[in-house]
Amino acid sequence: MTRPLQVMKFGGTSVGSAERIRGAAELVAAAARERDVVVVVSAMAGVTNALVDAANRAGRGDQNSWQELSTFLITKHHEALRALISDPARRERIRAELDGIVEEAANRCRGVAWLGELTPRVLDSISGVGERLSSRLVAGTLVELGVPASALEATDFLITDDVHGNAQPLEAETRERAQAVLLPRARSGAVPVVTGFIGASKSGVTTTLGRGGSDYSATILGAAIDADDIVIWTDVDGVLTADPRLVPEASLLEHISYNEAAELAFFGAKVLHPSTLHPVRRRGIPVWIRNSFAPNRRGTVISPNGNPSQDCTKAVTAMRGVTLLTVGGPGIIGVPDVAAWTFAATAEARARILLITQASSQDDICFVVPSEDAGRTVEALRRRFLIGVRPVELDHIQVNDDVAIVAVVGDKMRGTPGIAGRVFSRLGREAVNLIAIAQGSSENNISFLVEARQMKTAVAAVHDELNLNQLAAPAPEPVAERSAKG
Ligand code: ADP
Ligand code: ASP
Ligand code: MG
């Protein structure tokens, strides 16, 4: 009889030091006694930031960044290697692999500095190196614990489009490759330890799935090999009613639906990459979020319908690093094509639109995009409007990046009157200035825009007003049989 198949993903802090890597490997060893396991790993905490930073500095012509990067990566990974791998031959083999990968990254960075230009494609080839390093350490540690394991590069089977920095998986190609390459490895009894975050385009060029993308790797691969469940091991107890950094008393949500989790992730709950739930939707695979620092706790389970008995609002999220673009003004009143031009421009810029409102008739459309998409969106808007409107009237694109989105999420908000009223009256009492408001017809979220400086106040006020703590499940009970929970 085939054993259950589980994908276990470990985030950056969960593999952030030798001690954390050993802890992660012990969790894998325990799971592997009862099931076939695929491990997906992030880079060690801080490594992706260092890679991105070094690449950007090199792109500005900094000739030192590649050397500093090399020293940082070697020091960090050698230290972990020494602590984790005692077998001399194994240690030497892994050290050689790590050094080769670091040298490759440093050489790329040096090339970038020499040219003084960083393309998105080259950035992906540098920023994805952290996962290639951590996967070797995790696989080696498993072998030290007596669990057969090997590191695999997701570029061999996670196939994406070629949108560097924010690639999307190609489902059919990934499924075919993962079933051919990854699944037989997992079923062979040796644990594959796969690089999160990275994939490859059809022509074999390395791509990345966007920051925080290892969650997405886990669900893409889980769906591709028909895993029975996916466990995302992180540094908090699960999905909470708010980001604990903003609301320290936020409590655990034991059971939420795919829709709720997707909305929370979309609106900035960093615990999940925004696209994490897409791949598993059709197959209904449960996704657990659990704390690698407290593995005896149950965590959150995300399932197709959540817990129907837990009604109403679930959580509040906040998102900084966004920019409000307002298209409007006297020059274009009554011009019927404004909405079409606006969204043709955002499509051309491949901007991710987070929220849209239209103030009155056609003369004022506001929308919010991640700040990194704002510059090219504005350029695309200017190009479009230049064709349609006289240049003299081109003063109607306003840009404001001093804003934050706050979103209130819950499937059962639909059909529960009064939530918006309570939220907005309370924000009024707290003197929070609302810049724009949006509620989709699905009614499972209300999102609004506030000044960045008022974000924390707004989140805390909404959390308190809607009694999210009381509505959430009580503090998690330790589970006696960890393996029974995922
Ligand atoms: P990992 O490295 O494991 O992927 P992340 O840092 O990406 O971890 O995500 C976990 C962090 O997400 C938590 O430490 C927490 O600060 C943040 N977070 C934001 N919103 C939420 C939420 N609603 N529930 C839980 N964590 C949240
Ligand atoms: N290491 C990548 C990042 O820091 C991916 C991830 O951690 O999920 O964005
Ligand atoms: Mg993450």
Side-chain angles (χ1 to χ4, degrees), residues 39-339:
V39 174
V40 173
V41 290
S42 291
M44 293 178 79
V47 167
T48 310
N49 283 348
L51 289 161
V52 171
D53 185 51
N56 283 326
R57 279 172 54 199
R60 293 192 294 270
D62 182 335
Q63 303 294 327
N64 297 325
S65 78
W66 67 271
Q67 256 161 339
E68 285 167 26
L69 176 70
S70 171
T71 309
F72 169 79
L73 293 176
I74 292 285
T75 309
K76 191 170 183 82
H77 292 88
H78 279 192
E79 188 187 321
L81 180 70
R82 276 194 300 276
L84 289 166
I85 313 292
S86 55
D87 178 82
R90 187 175 306 126
R91 193 193 276 185
E92 209 30 59
R93 189 181 47 75
I94 298 176
R95 185 200 305 276
E97 283 181 41
L98 297 177
D99 290 357
I101 295 168
V102 171
E103 195 184 328
E104 212 180 292
N107 281 341
R108 290 217 171 93
C109 225
R110 182 154 52 161
V112 170
W114 190 69
L115 289 170
E117 191 197 351
L118 177 65
T119 62
R121 173 177 164 155
V122 174
L123 176 59
D124 272 357
S125 73
I126 297 172
S127 66
V129 155
E131 278 70 9
R132 299 178 58 206
L133 298 169
S134 62
S135 58
R136 267 74 180 178
L137 289 174
V138 173
T141 308
L142 281 166
V143 176
E144 287 268 317
L145 293 181
V147 180
S150 60
L152 294 191
E153 305 256 344
T155 42
D156 288 336
F157 43 80
L158 201 165
I159 313 301
T160 71
D161 61 19
D162 56 6
V163 180
H164 287 283
N166 194 30
Q168 292 300 324
L170 302 178
E171 193 186 329
E173 287 82 351
T174 300
R175 189 172 173 83
E176 192 195 319
R177 299 287 304 150
Q179 296 259 345
V181 179
L182 178 60
L183 187 58
R185 293 285 201 111
R187 290 302 191 195
S188 75
V191 175
V193 181
V194 182
T195 53
F197 187 44
I198 59 174
S201 65
K202 274 194 205 168
S203 49
V205 178
T206 299
T207 54
T208 62
L209 302 168
R211 291 307 304 270
S214 301
D215 303 326
Y216 198 16
S217 307
T219 53
I220 293 167
L221 296 175
I225 58 173
D226 298 315
D228 293 289
D229 57 5
I230 296 164
V231 186
I232 293 181
W233 290 95
T234 185
D235 61 359
V236 279
D237 281 347
V239 179
L240 308 178
T241 51
D243 184 344
R245 288 170 301 186
L246 296 175
V247 182
E249 65 275 18
S251 46
L252 180 77
L253 292 163
E254 283 195 344
H255 203 164
I256 58 174
S257 70
Y258 282 176
N259 278 343
E260 288 166 332
E263 293 286 343
L264 288 167
F266 182 81
F267 284 114
K270 191 183 169 228
V271 64
L272 292 172
H273 177 282
S275 304
T276 309
L277 279 312
H278 296 175
V280 292
R281 246 176 221 279
R282 198 147 27 93
R283 294 190 165 76
I285 303 170
V287 179
W288 291 82
I289 315 296
R290 299 188 58 185
N291 192 344
S292 72
F293 291 73
N296 59 336
R297 299 200 186 137
R298 180 191 295 267
T300 298
V301 61
I302 307 171
S303 64
N305 298 315
N307 180 353
S309 71
Q310 264 186 359
D311 270 3
C312 215
T313 323
K314 294 283 168 59
V316 52
T317 63
M319 199 173 185
R320 266 189 273 246
V322 297
T323 297
L324 169 68
L325 299 175
T326 307
V327 179
I332 53 172
I333 288 184
V335 178
D337 301 328
V338 171

Side-chain angles (χ1 to χ4, degrees), residues 375-395:
R376 60 175 198 276
T377 308
V378 170
E379 278 170 31
L381 283 166
R382 293 223 161 97
R383 277 196 301 276
R384 285 269 160 186
F385 279 75
L386 207 56
I387 303 168
V389 187
R390 274 173 293 140
V392 71
E393 292 163 341
L394 275 175
D395 58 347

